[in-house]
C-alpha cells in the first residue's frame, strides 16, 4: 500500500443510507483504480444494521426506536449512532486475499487505539471485534467496545468497524448485539469515567489504522470525496 486518504465526513451524524451510497460510489471508483485507498470516517444517525448472518430471532420484537437496515456485510445485528466513530476502509487487499488476516488488522488498529487510553483490548476466539476482560470487582462481565463487519468485493473492502466513544449504550439493550447473549457492551467514556468525544479518538484511530495497513503516505480530506473522473477526462 502507498497512499491512504482519510475522508472525515464532519461532526453532523450522517443518515445511514447516505453513508452507504457514498461507500458504494467510492468502492466503485477504487475498484476502477480511479482513486487511492480511501477511509471514510463518520458518525451515523441512530440505526440498526443487519448483516447477512442476521436471523429472525435476532430482530427485536418491538420497535427499537431506530430503523433496521439490511446490508451486505458479514455479521449480524448491531447499532450505529452519535458518539460512536464508524470507520469504512475502502482499500484494495493484496492477493491472495485473506479476509481473516484483514479483520485481524482492523482489530489491531482498535487495540492500539484504546491502549492510548490505558485499556487492554483483546480478541475473543470465535468472535470478531475488540473486547475487554471481565472485571468481577466492578461487577462487569466480558464486554465489547468495538464491532467489526466487512465485505470484500472485487478485491476491495467496504464497511469496517465502529468504536464506542461516548454513545448512549442503552441502544444496545434493545437488541442482542451481534447475537451474543453472554457479554456486555461498553464505551471509552464508560470505562474511563469521563466524556471521550469522537473528535478525541479520530486522530488516534487514523494513525493506527494507517500503520497496520502499511500506508507510506497519508492524506486527510474534509467532507465526502468528490466523484472520480476517468483519467482521460481528468486530463482533458
Amino acid at each position: 500500500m502507498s497512499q491512504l486518504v482519510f475522508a472525515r465526513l464532519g461532526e453532523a451524524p450522517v443518515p445511514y443510507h447516505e453513508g452507504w451510497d457514498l461507500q458504494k460510489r467510492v468502492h466503485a471508483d477504487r475498484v476502477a483504480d480511479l482513486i487511492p485507498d480511501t477511509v471514510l470516517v463518520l458518525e451515523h444517525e441512530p440505526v440498526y444494521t443487519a448483516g447477512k448472518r442476521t436471523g429472525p430471532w435476532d430482530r427485536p420484537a418491538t420497535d427499537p426506536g431506530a430503523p433496521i437496515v439490511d446490508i451486505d456485510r458479514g455479521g449480524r445485528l448491531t447499532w450505529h449512532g452519535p458518539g460512536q466513530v464508524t470507520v469504512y476502509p475502502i482499500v484494495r487487499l493484496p492477493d491472495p486475499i485473506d479476509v481473516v488476516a484483514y479483520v485481524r488488522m482492523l482489530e489491531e488498529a482498535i487495540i492500539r487505539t484504546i491502549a492510548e487510553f490505558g485499556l487492554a483490548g483483546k480478541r475473543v476466539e470465535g468472535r470478531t471485534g475488540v473486547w475487554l476482560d471481565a472485571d468481577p470487582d466492578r461487577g462487569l462481565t466480558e464486554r465489547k467496545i468495538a464491532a467489526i463487519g466487512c465485505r470484500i468485493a472485487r478485491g476491495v473492502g467496504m464497511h469496517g468497524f465502529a468504536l464506542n466513544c461516548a454513545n448512549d449504550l442503552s441502544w444496545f439493550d434493545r437488541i442482542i448485539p451481534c447475537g451474543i447473549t453472554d457479554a456486555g457492551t461498553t464505551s471509552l467514556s464508560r470505562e474511563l469515567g469521563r466524556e471521550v468525544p469522537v473528535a478525541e479518538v479520530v486522530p488516534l484511530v487514523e494513525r493506527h489504522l494507517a500503520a497496520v495497513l502499511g500506508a507510506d503516505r497519508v492524506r486527510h480530506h474534509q467532507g465526502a470525496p468528490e466523484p472520480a473522473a476517468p483519467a482521460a477526462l481528468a486530463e482533458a
Side-chain angles (χ1 to χ4, degrees):
M1 177 177 292
S2 54
Q3 182 177 195
L4 185 64
V5 177
F6 287 98
R8 299 179 181 176
L9 271 58
E11 297 180 3
V14 176
Y16 189 79
H17 281 288
E18 181 180 321
W20 194 11
D21 287 344
L22 177 60
Q23 275 198 79
K24 289 183 278 191
R25 172 171 67 76
V26 175
H27 182 271
D29 286 343
R30 184 66 191 98
V31 167
D33 282 327
L34 297 176
I35 61 171
D37 289 321
T38 300
V39 182
L40 307 179
V41 182
L42 66 149
E43 297 173 65
H44 274 303
E45 292 183 354
V47 65
Y48 294 97
T49 62
K52 292 183 291 185
R53 292 181 55 238
T54 303
W57 52 86
D58 291 315
R59 299 175 186 271
T62 59
D63 181 2
I68 299 175
V69 180
D70 290 281
I71 60 174
D72 55 358
R73 63 161 170 78
R76 295 165 75 172
L77 188 67
T78 193
W79 175 87
H80 296 302
Q84 178 192 69
V85 60
T86 302
V87 181
Y88 297 133
I90 303 175
V91 300
R92 185 176 298 283
L93 274 61
D95 288 324
I97 292 174
D98 186 335
V99 177
V100 173
Y102 175 61
V103 170
R104 295 292 174 264
M105 292 168 71
L106 300 184
E107 290 171 345
E108 181 63 24
I110 299 165
I111 289 169
R112 294 183 187 183
T113 297
I114 68 173
E116 303 243 12
F117 295 93
L119 298 177
K122 69 172 188 176
R123 299 175 177 89
V124 174
E125 186 175 355
R127 296 175 174 178
T128 59
V130 173
W131 300 77
L132 301 180
D133 274 325
D135 187 344
D137 291 339
R138 296 169 60 197
L140 297 175
T141 62
E142 193 172 58
R143 54 221 182 275
K144 191 174 192 176
I145 197 166
I148 296 176
C150 303
R151 178 178 182 231
I152 311 300
R154 301 176 66 185
V156 175
M158 60 189 304
H159 300 292
F161 65 86
L163 173 59
N164 297 330
C165 301
N167 44 297
D168 179 356
L169 293 172
S170 69
W171 287 100
F172 292 105
D173 296 337
R174 307 173 198 186
I175 62 170
I176 301 173
C178 303
I180 295 169
T181 59
D182 59 348
T185 306
T186 192
S187 67
L188 290 170
S189 294
R190 172 170 286 184
E191 295 299 322
L192 299 178
R194 68 171 180 88
E195 184 84 359
V196 182
V198 166
E200 182 179 346
V201 179
V202 164
L204 305 177
V205 167
E206 292 178 346
R207 174 159 54 84
H208 291 298
L209 182 60
V212 300
L213 292 177
D216 299 321
R217 292 172 292 142
V218 173
R219 182 162 60 87
H220 294 90
H221 176 81
Q222 294 297 326
E226 295 296 326
L233 294 177
E235 294 171 2

